[in-house]
Amino acid sequence: MAIQATFTKCDFVLNLGGFVLYLADIGTDLWVAVVYFHEKEFVWFALVLTVILLSAVVLQSFSWSWYQDDGEFHQEQHSSEIQHFHSPSSWLCAVHIFQLGMPVRFFRALVLGYKAAFKQGDSHAAIYAITDLSMLRLFEAFLETAPQLILQTFILLQSEDRNFIQYGSVIISFMGISWTTLDYYAALKRSLPNPNLTCGFPYVIYFLYKLLTIGAKILSITLLATLHVLAVAAYLLLVWPIMMVYVMMQKTTFCKSKCQEDIYRIVIGFILIFTFFNIKGQKIRLALTLYYIFRIFETSVLIILCWILKSSSLDKGYDLSISITIMLSLITGIVCVVLYYSCFHPSVYSKAATDEDSDNSHTESQIPACQDDVDGFLPQNSNVRLDDVCENNDVIRSSVPKSKRENSRITNCLTE
C-alpha cells in the first residue's frame, strides 16, 4: 500500500538552502550590474538588468495566476497552517506587482516546512506549498540563471580585468541552477505515492545528470559566443523553433487561460534548449533518446564550427580545454541518465514493491510505478484503476490514496 508522505528535516534544509542560494544569486547579479554601471559598461549593465527583469515578470505572472487558480484568497482552507497566509487578493496583487511573489512563497514554504519538520505540523500543507515554489524556481533557473551564466562566463573569457564578484556570480549561479533541479526532483518525489522509495544515492545520480548536461550546454553556447555574439542569436533562432514544434505537438493544457498557456509553452520551449522536460507526464523513452542524440550531434557541430571559423587572433588559448570539458560533461551526463533509469528510477523500486505486496497481500491495491518528473517514464507493468479524469483531460487519477490537498500542477508532471 502507499506510504504517506512526510516532510522531513532534510527537506526543510534543502528548501532553506534553495532560499539562501536564490537570494545570493539575485544579489550577486544585481551587484554585477552595479559594477558594470560604475565601470561605464552600459551594454553589459543593460543585458544583465534586462534578463533579471524579464524573468521576474514571467515568474510573477505564473505565481499570481496559480494563487488565483488555487483560490487561496477566496475561500477558507482546511489546514490551520494555510489559514495564516490568507490575504486579500488586492494585497497579493500588490506583492506581485512589486516583484515580491517569490520571497513571499519562500517565506510561506519555510514556515510551513519548519512546523511540519520540527513541530509535527501538516506535512501535506508544506509539500503543497513547496511543489509550486519548486516549479517556479525551475522556471527562474532557466529564464534568469542560465542566461546570466552564459553572459557572465562569456564576459570572464573576454575580459582582461576580472574581479571576484564576477567569479562569485558564476559560481553561485552554477550552484543555484543545480540546486534548483535537485530541489524540483525532490519535490516531485515527495508527491509520489511511495516517496520513501527514492532517496539518497538516486538524488546524487540525478543531480550529476542535470549538472553535467546543463553545464555542457551552457559552455557550448558560451564558446559559440566567443566566435560572435550574433552566432548565439542565430543558434537560438534555429533550435528554439524546433523545440517549440515539439511543445505544440503535445497540445498541453497546463494553464486555464490561453494567454498563460502560450507563455508556458514558450518557457518550456526555452527550457528544452538546455535540458529535457517531460511536458505532459507521458511515456518519453523514445523522445528522451532522440533528444540526447540531437544534443550530441548539435554539440559536435558547434564545437567543429567554432574551431573552423574562429581565427587565430580570437583564440585566447582556452578553446581546446573548453571543448574537451563540454564533450566529457555531456557524455558523462548521458551515462548518468542511463544509470538512473536503469537502476534508480521510481518504476524500478515500484515494481519490486508491487511484487513484494503481491506475495504478502491478497488486496487489489498495488503500488503504481509512477513516472518521473521532467524525465518521467510510464512503467510498463503498472496496475492502475482509472477512477475519473480531470477537467483538462490531462491528469488521470488512480486508486492510490491522495494527499489532503493535491497539487494539480505537480500531478500534471507525475501522471498521464
Side-chain angles (χ1 to χ4, degrees), residues 176-349:
I177 196 170
S178 303
W179 193 279
T180 297
T181 57
L182 179 62
D183 180 59
Y184 184 62
Y185 170 85
L188 286 158
K189 293 301 161 260
R190 286 191 293 265
S191 300
L192 287 171
N194 295 278
N196 294 330
L197 294 175
T198 54
C199 59
F201 193 64
Y203 279 42
V204 177
I205 297 298
Y206 186 86
F207 175 81
L208 290 175
Y209 148 52
K210 287 296 184 182
L211 174 64
L212 293 170
T213 53
I214 294 172
K217 171 59 69 174
I218 289 173
L219 287 177
S220 63
I221 296 177
T222 304
L223 184 63
L224 184 63
T226 61
L227 181 63
H228 200 288
V229 176
L230 291 179
V232 176
Y235 167 76
L236 295 177
L237 289 175
L238 178 64
V239 176
W240 180 73
I242 297 175
M243 301 305 172
M244 281 300 299
V245 169
Y246 172 74
V247 174
M248 298 299 291
M249 288 174 61
Q250 304 307 304
K251 298 179 180 179
T252 61
T253 53
F254 185 83
C255 304
K256 291 185 177 180
S257 69
K258 186 180 184 303
C259 178
Q260 197 76 18
E261 185 68 29
D262 291 338
I263 296 174
Y264 169 75
R265 291 175 178 179
I266 292 172
V267 171
I268 297 304
F270 188 75
I271 292 177
L272 285 172
I273 296 176
F274 296 91
T275 189
F276 189 82
F277 194 95
N278 188 10
I279 301 171
K280 292 183 65 176
Q282 297 176 337
K283 293 184 288 186
I284 47 80
R285 187 183 300 272
L286 177 60
L288 183 66
T289 302
L290 292 176
Y291 177 83
Y292 281 107
I293 290 175
F294 176 75
R295 279 287 301 272
I296 294 174
F297 171 76
E298 65 152 356
T299 302
S300 302
V301 170
L302 287 179
I303 292 175
I304 292 172
L305 283 176
C306 288
W307 278 90
I308 293 176
L309 299 179
K310 181 175 287 188
S311 63
S312 57
S313 61
L314 295 177
D315 187 359
K316 297 188 177 182
Y318 49 70
D319 286 2
L320 179 60
S321 58
I322 291 180
S323 300
I324 293 174
T325 301
I326 290 171
M327 293 308 300
L328 286 178
S329 297
L330 180 58
I331 292 172
T332 307
I334 293 175
V335 171
C336 287
V337 71
V338 172
L339 179 63
Y340 171 77
Y341 285 114
S342 300
C343 305
F344 303 112
H345 189 266
S347 63
V348 177
Y349 291 95

Side-chain angles (χ1 to χ4, degrees), residues 374-411:
V374 295
D375 299 326
F377 285 179
L378 184 65
Q380 295 178 354
N381 299 317
S382 61
N383 184 9
V384 179
R385 296 197 308 270
L386 306 181
D387 291 335
D388 57 304
V389 182
C390 288
E391 295 177 359
N392 60 8
N393 296 321
D394 272 342
V395 182
I396 299 179
R397 297 192 179 98
S398 70
S399 57
V400 177
K402 297 292 187 292
S403 64
K404 294 178 182 178
R405 303 177 71 248
E406 183 184 75
N407 191 322
S408 61
R409 285 175 288 278
I410 221 71
T411 307

